[in-house]
Amino acid sequence: MTFFLTVFFSLQAQRHCERINLEWKHTFGDIANAEKNEFDDSKWQMVNLPHDASISGPFVKDSLNSDRKNGFLPRRQGWYRKNLNVDFPLDGRKVFLEFEGVYRDARVYVNGTEMAHQLNGYENFLVDVTEVVKSGDNLIAVSYDNTYKESSRWYNGEGLYRDVWLLVTNPVHVDYHGTYVTTPFVTEALAKIDVQTEILNEKPDSTEVIIETSIFSPSGQLADKVTDVVPLGAGELYLAKQLAKVRQPMIWDIETPRLYLVKTVLKLDGQVTDEYETSFGIRTIEFDRDQGLLLNGRKVLVKGVNIHHDLGPLGAAAYERGFERRLEGLKKLGCNAVRLAHNPHDSYILEWCDRHGMLVFDEAFDKWHDQFFGEGSDFKNHWKSSLETFIKRDRNHPSVFLWSVGNETHQQKSARYDFGVPMLKEMRDFIHGFEPSRKVTCGLHPSRKSGAYRSDNYYREGPPEMEFYMDVVSTNYREEFWPVDKDRYPQLMFILSEAQVGNLGNEWFNFNHRNSVGMFYWGGTDYIGESFGWPSKGWPNGIIDWNDHWKPFSYYIQSLYSEEPMVHMAAFSEGDETSQYWNEVQLRFQPMFSHWNWAGRDSVNLYTFSNCEEVELFINGKSVGIKKIPEEYHTKDITAFTAEEYDPDHPINTGPALHKKLQWRVPFSSGEIIAVARTDGREVARHQLLTAGDPYAISLEPERDCIAADGYDLSYITVRVVDEKGVVVPDAAHEIKFKVSGTGAIAGVGNADLLSDESFVNDERKVFQGKALLILRSNGKHGKIDVKAVARGLKAGKVVVRTEETD
């Protein structure tokens, strides 16, 4: 506590912000009087945030509080309580609590007084507790109610699943998310920086404030400084508008994500009363009907995926390292963009994308009804305040290139609601007025408007009415209609907001890359919920599994998206393919396996995925052939088919059957198979598969063997059952028991089996196809975490992960 006081008093003239995630107490149920200081919580569970109260289960088939939408995990009510010791002077200070997200219907109490009621579980909110906080011990109590089944179509988690912060300021301060930075003029020689700052005077009398706004370069050098002096009335929220200039600006781009910093300093009577920092990027975003997306005047084809907000075995708990690991994998896959479906995601994702050059399709809502706000709540009464909060939080992120106001809304197909046009127009116009630097879209349901075109002119269906009232047209799964619509309505600009991967990812070849914005596959990963039915616990058709381990199919998408030379082999059986009709789209599922254990078979069907010119296969050192990927599949200027080629009777099969996978049938012989990929006759990549022997040992492979001793950092440990030579045994299904001691604990366990009933919160887990995952969380202390994994008949696995203090 001495350290905290020292830090606090050095900042007392400004603002203090502290994460207060540790040592909360939690229980389930609708508990009477749990907000009161004298309530006995001694039997409640001690937890650290972020905390998803639902992820521990159990999985229950279609009970009163669980169903396929939520992955058969429970929806419950609950409470949290935390003692906050205030040992700093309160006189003349403002005290706030910031909640980055509570799922859902949250009520916040401080010292027994209700201070806030927040319906939207995905929305951040600030609570002014100045009037009730006191020196010494203070009680924060938070209740939530997650029992409304229609609040989400996917797993939402529940409770305090994002960070909670203590914020202390002076009465004159920059308001919550109160800066807005844009770059309206950018050339190689000069960039103009428009800085708008909302300054709140919560003093009882008027005052005069000096506003110093400084721009710092990515290297920390002062680039410009602007100073204004303004009067503030008592209780006034003043909007300061300042224009700075940066010469020879360093541009933010997906290849060079350079970030500048705005430092806002407020002074009263010569004393600093507040300091506030905002990072931003200098860049231009433009949409062109003939070229699609122009980033800094350069054509960029969006290569993205959709992601939901859960982190697999961790549930909805918003761990920064979990998001970082996921995004690192998507970047390696070749993605340059993510669509954050279909709600506000954790702000850390945007911060990471800013730093690493990943574009963000930022989405505020799913459906336009009571979904996010509770049963019977009218969407019209809530959307504007939620949308404003969402935009204010995210508007300074250079990674955000497009706002989305919804996804597959029911109004789109209903004449009663004028096919969604009035609501879309109102939301679009609101954003244009509030944040005009970006365009607005809405994900469209795959259904088409019937009877729109004359059948004698190859048009039999028309675009949904909403297409004409959004800045960029986002279509889900129906890219085959783009040439038809573009031919008739040349002003339309298209982005494929959802493309199925069940068609082996070949939607990549179904649209014109020259004049469209690009595409987002659904989904980037498997995720909990939106199951096709028991016993599946989630969406099975993601590119990467929910442990963020790559599937064999992941490498095919990499061959499309990435320019790094690669090759990967995947075995399959043609008779194993299944299909599912979903959302007016026929999804296909082709199981694939990257191993070389096919005893009992004379031959094996193989795909080789590669972005190189040719692939040669070797079995036990002997070549079994060379295959070349046709040259036209390498082009970066895919034009797909034209309106004249469109077949209205079979639109889904229209266009060239392009792909970048090579299909083989090769003899099976145990030992080794190698794929060698070449470009210009030179080997640039290879992939090897070995035949595994009998299960022998447990292999533990931490992605990082040293993590921060901050109580938040994670170490992901891949668990494998291997033979004596260290080769993964693909049919191993052993139950692994984990023994963890030292300066950390188990945060979660998992495998890729969506049918498993095993809990994610446990000290044991079966391997699936020879593999599982163990996730450790540091406990805030310097030292080491000792991990031992045991299973019957296997040599134990051991590993040590160090925890070290960071600055």
Side-chain angles (χ1 to χ4, degrees):
M1 190 58 65
T2 301
F3 174 73
F4 168 69
L5 284 172
T6 302
V7 173
F8 184 81
F9 282 116
S10 70
L11 296 176
Q12 187 173 356
Q14 305 159 24
R15 65 171 55 211
H16 172 73
C17 190
E18 178 186 3
R19 187 157 49 180
I20 54 171
N21 281 2
L22 303 182
E23 297 184 346
W24 290 72
K25 287 191 171 183
H26 172 264
T27 194
F28 293 109
D30 182 13
I31 311 296
N33 300 317
E35 77 278 9
K36 297 185 181 301
N37 291 50
E38 61 271 19
F39 183 89
D40 181 8
D41 60 11
S42 60
K43 295 183 179 180
W44 291 20
Q45 180 188 12
M46 184 70 75
V47 299
N48 294 324
L49 311 184
H51 176 247
D52 178 359
S54 179
I55 192 62
S56 59
F59 294 107
V60 179
K61 180 181 179 182
D62 294 326
S63 71
L64 291 175
N65 67 350
S66 67
D67 57 16
R68 66 169 189 83
K69 294 193 294 293
N70 211 42
F72 301 101
L73 285 166
R75 298 183 180 90
R76 292 172 286 203
Q77 294 173 282
W79 280 86
Y80 293 87
R81 285 164 57 98
K82 178 180 175 61
N83 183 64
L84 179 67
N85 183 263
V86 173
D87 57 356
F88 52 83
L90 289 171
D91 292 344
R93 303 288 280 172
K94 297 291 296 184
V95 183
F96 305 90
L97 297 174
E98 181 189 12
F99 294 83
E100 294 193 0
V102 186
Y103 210 90
R104 57 164 297 278
D105 193 8
R107 295 181 186 270
V108 177
Y109 303 84
V110 176
N111 294 326
T113 301
E114 183 174 341
M115 303 303 296
H117 182 200
Q118 174 63 39
L119 293 174
N120 188 341
Y122 298 114
E123 185 178 320
N124 57 293
F125 60 103
L126 190 71
V127 184
D128 186 345
V129 299
T130 306
E131 297 302 316
V132 295
V133 74
K134 57 185 175 57
S135 296
D137 289 340
N138 293 263
L139 174 71
I140 305 171
V142 181
S143 69
Y144 65 89
D145 185 344
N146 184 37
T147 55
Y148 181 44
K149 275 192 170 185
E150 301 305 318
S151 73
S152 182
R153 298 182 297 111
W154 54 88
Y155 178 73
N156 42 252
E158 67 182 35
L160 293 175
Y161 70 103
R162 291 181 183 168
D163 290 341
V164 179
W165 298 84
L166 171 68
L167 173 64
V168 184
T169 73
N170 283 315
V172 177
H173 58 270
V174 176
D175 199 24
Y176 187 46
H177 293 303
T179 55
Y180 177 35
V181 185
T182 56
T183 55
F185 178 86
V186 180
T187 67
E188 290 185 4
L190 179 69
K192 295 180 180 180
I193 316 300
D194 183 15
V195 182
Q196 299 184 24
T197 308
E198 292 180 322
I199 302 167
L200 183 59
N201 176 19
E202 298 196 76
K203 294 179 66 176
D205 51 11
S206 61
T207 188
E208 194 172 76
V209 63
I210 298 172
I211 309 168
E212 294 179 352
T213 298
S214 301
I215 311 294
F216 292 93
S217 72
S219 61
Q221 301 299 309
L222 180 65
D224 198 13
K225 183 176 181 179
V226 181
T227 301
D228 290 353
V229 181
V230 300
L232 292 178
E236 180 179 1
L237 179 64
Y238 184 90
L239 180 62
K241 298 182 179 181
Q242 297 173 299
L243 185 67
K245 297 178 181 179
V246 173
R247 302 190 183 281
Q248 285 77 50
M250 289 180 277
I251 302 301
W252 186 95
D253 202 284
I254 56 176
E255 296 174 355
T256 54
R258 304 183 180 108
L259 292 172
Y260 282 76
L261 181 72
V262 171
K263 185 174 182 179
T264 304
V265 177
L266 305 183
K267 293 182 179 179
L268 292 178
D269 301 322
Q271 299 295 314
V272 174
T273 185
D274 197 13
E275 290 187 0
Y276 190 87
E277 294 184 348
T278 309
S279 64
F280 73 101
I282 297 175
R283 58 101 176 99
T284 62
I285 292 285
E286 183 182 355
F287 291 91
D288 182 271
R289 66 167 65 186
D290 298 318
Q291 300 181 76
L293 174 65
L294 301 180
L295 177 61
N296 303 312
R298 174 177 63 92
K299 161 73 177 180
V300 170
L301 182 66
V302 168
K303 298 181 289 186
V305 297
N306 288 265
I307 57 174
H308 271 313
H309 78 146
D310 78 78
L311 287 170
L314 298 173
Y319 288 94
E320 291 182 358
R321 178 55 196 160
F323 294 129
E324 182 178 52
R325 179 172 176 265
R326 172 158 295 175
L327 293 164
E328 287 171 347
L330 294 176
K331 190 84 171 178
K332 182 179 178 181
L333 193 74
C335 293
N336 61 18
V338 288
R339 181 190 183 203
L340 303 182
H342 303 290
N343 54 266
H345 284 228
D346 192 81
S347 59
Y348 181 81
I349 294 176
L350 286 87
E351 295 167 11
W352 190 96
C353 291
D354 289 345
R355 295 194 303 269
H356 295 87
M358 185 87 82
L359 295 170
V360 174
F361 181 124
D362 211 4
E363 195 154 68
F365 303 114
D366 185 30
K367 309 305 181 191
W368 295 340
H369 55 59
D370 63 5
Q371 182 184 35
F372 288 0
F373 305 106
E375 186 173 9
S377 297
D378 192 336
F379 182 79
K380 291 182 179 179
N381 296 333
H382 298 283
W383 72 260
K384 190 171 292 185
S385 61
S386 276
L387 190 56
E388 180 176 328
T389 298
F390 166 71
I391 292 174
K392 287 189 73 172
R393 189 197 71 166
D394 294 355
R395 61 188 175 180
N396 294 318
H397 291 282
S399 56
V400 176
F401 78 105
L402 189 63
W403 299 119
S404 176
V405 296
N407 177 72
E408 296 182 1
T409 67
H410 302 306
Q411 290 86 342
Q412 175 190 329
K413 299 184 289 181
S414 174
R416 175 185 176 188
Y417 298 100
D418 293 326
F419 303 102
V421 170
M423 177 62 76
L424 176 60
K425 288 172 63 178
E426 187 177 0
M427 299 174 84
R428 179 204 63 192
D429 292 346
F430 172 79
I431 295 178
H432 284 173
F434 187 70
E435 202 292 288
S437 75
R438 296 174 180 87
K439 299 300 185 183
V440 180
T441 191
C442 180
L444 290 169
H445 189 274
S447 60
R448 298 278 288 178
K449 173 183 170 184
S450 63
Y453 300 143
R454 296 172 59 89
S455 60
D456 59 356
N457 193 26
Y458 66 73
Y459 303 103
R460 290 189 183 174
E461 295 178 315
E465 289 83 352
M466 287 171 59
E467 276 199 13
F468 300 98
Y469 297 92
M470 57 183 74
D471 301 323
V472 180
V473 180
S474 292
T475 62
N476 290 353
Y477 308 106
R478 304 314 291 267
E479 75 284 351
E480 71 271 16
F481 290 102
W482 288 2
V484 175
D485 293 347
K486 185 73 172 176
D487 185 68
R488 189 173 180 88
Y489 306 106
Q491 76 276 15
L492 297 180
M493 297 177 288
F494 292 99
I495 188 168
L496 187 54
S497 39
E498 294 181 20
Q500 65 154 316
V501 300
N503 192 33
L504 298 180
N506 287 325
E507 279 70 17
W508 170 257
F509 298 100
N510 281 2
F511 65 94
N512 190 318
H513 289 195
R514 288 185 301 180
N515 63 18
S516 63
V517 176
M519 69 179 294
F520 294 88
Y521 281 111
W522 189 274
T525 67
D526 296 341
Y527 55 89
I528 306 172
E530 206 167 8
S531 159
F532 292 151
W534 184 269
S536 176
K537 309 308 185 299
W539 183 265
N541 214 14
I543 296 170
I544 298 170
D545 75 28
W546 59 21
N547 302 307
D548 292 293
H549 289 148
W550 284 27
K551 304 176 183 180
F553 174 72
S554 308
Y555 295 90
Y556 182 51
I557 302 302
Q558 186 186 34
S559 77
L560 302 177
Y561 274 7
S562 177
E563 296 183 9
E564 289 293 321
M566 55 78 60
V567 64
H568 192 89
M569 292 176 285
F572 68 97
S573 297
E574 292 179 339
D576 290 346
E577 181 180 299
T578 61
S579 64
Q580 173 81 34
Y581 189 71
W582 178 268
N583 208 15
E584 301 191 17
V585 177
Q586 192 73 30
L587 305 176
R588 296 167 53 204
F589 301 88
Q590 174 65 70
M592 299 181 196
F593 307 92
S594 289
H595 64 76
W596 195 237
N597 277 51
W598 301 105
R601 294 191 184 185
D602 295 328
S603 60
V604 178
N605 291 314
L606 280 180
Y607 285 131
T608 51
F609 308 137
S610 181
N611 53 12
C612 304
E613 293 178 356
E614 68 177 34
V615 176
E616 184 172 9
L617 291 185
F618 295 86
I619 298 177
N620 296 325
K622 182 179 179 181
S623 175
V624 293
I626 297 175
K627 292 192 176 186
K628 296 180 180 292
I629 297 176
E631 184 176 352
E632 60 267 27
Y633 299 169
H634 290 283
T635 179
K636 297 180 181 180
D637 188 27
I638 297 172
T639 57
F641 54 94
T642 65
E644 288 74 16
E645 297 173 307
Y646 175 81
D647 180 353
D649 294 317
H650 302 91
I652 197 67
N653 297 319
T654 302
L658 298 179
H659 56 81
K660 288 179 70 175
K661 57 184 178 293
L662 300 173
Q663 186 169 337
W664 311 69
R665 188 169 184 85
V666 298
F668 174 71
S669 178
S670 64
E672 171 191 72
I673 182 170
I674 296 176
V676 175
R678 303 185 183 94
T679 295
D680 295 328
R682 181 174 61 87
E683 179 182 334
V684 291
R686 67 167 49 205
H687 180 220
Q688 178 194 54
L689 296 174
L690 299 172
T691 302
D694 294 333
Y696 172 74
I698 301 170
S699 167
L700 300 178
E701 182 181 346
E703 57 161 6
R704 297 185 302 159
D705 58 12
C706 182
I707 62 175
D710 57 5
Y712 307 108
D713 203 6
L714 303 175
S715 177
Y716 284 80
I717 300 176
T718 298
V719 182
R720 298 181 176 91
V721 172
V722 299
D723 67 6
E724 287 192 86
K725 295 181 179 180
V727 179
V728 175
V729 181
D731 59 353
H734 298 72
E735 184 169 83
I736 312 295
K737 178 77 172 181
F738 302 106
K739 300 178 181 179
V740 176
S741 61
T743 56
I746 297 175
V749 293
N751 62 36
D753 183 10
L754 274 65
L755 307 184
S756 174
D757 296 334
E758 298 170 281
S759 174
F760 292 118
V761 183
N762 209 339
D763 62 358
E764 58 187 25
R765 188 74 175 193
K766 289 182 180 179
V767 294
F768 177 68
Q769 297 177 354
K771 191 159 61 173
L773 181 69
L774 170 67
I775 309 171
L776 303 179
R777 176 176 179 167
S778 69
N779 68 4
K781 298 179 181 178
H782 171 82
K784 65 176 183 175
I785 309 172
D786 292 299
V787 182
K788 184 177 181 180
V790 298
R792 182 175 298 177
L794 297 178
K795 182 180 178 181
K798 296 180 181 180
V799 73
V800 174
V801 176
R802 291 178 292 115
T803 58
E804 294 187 354
E805 296 178 359
T806 57
D807 295 333

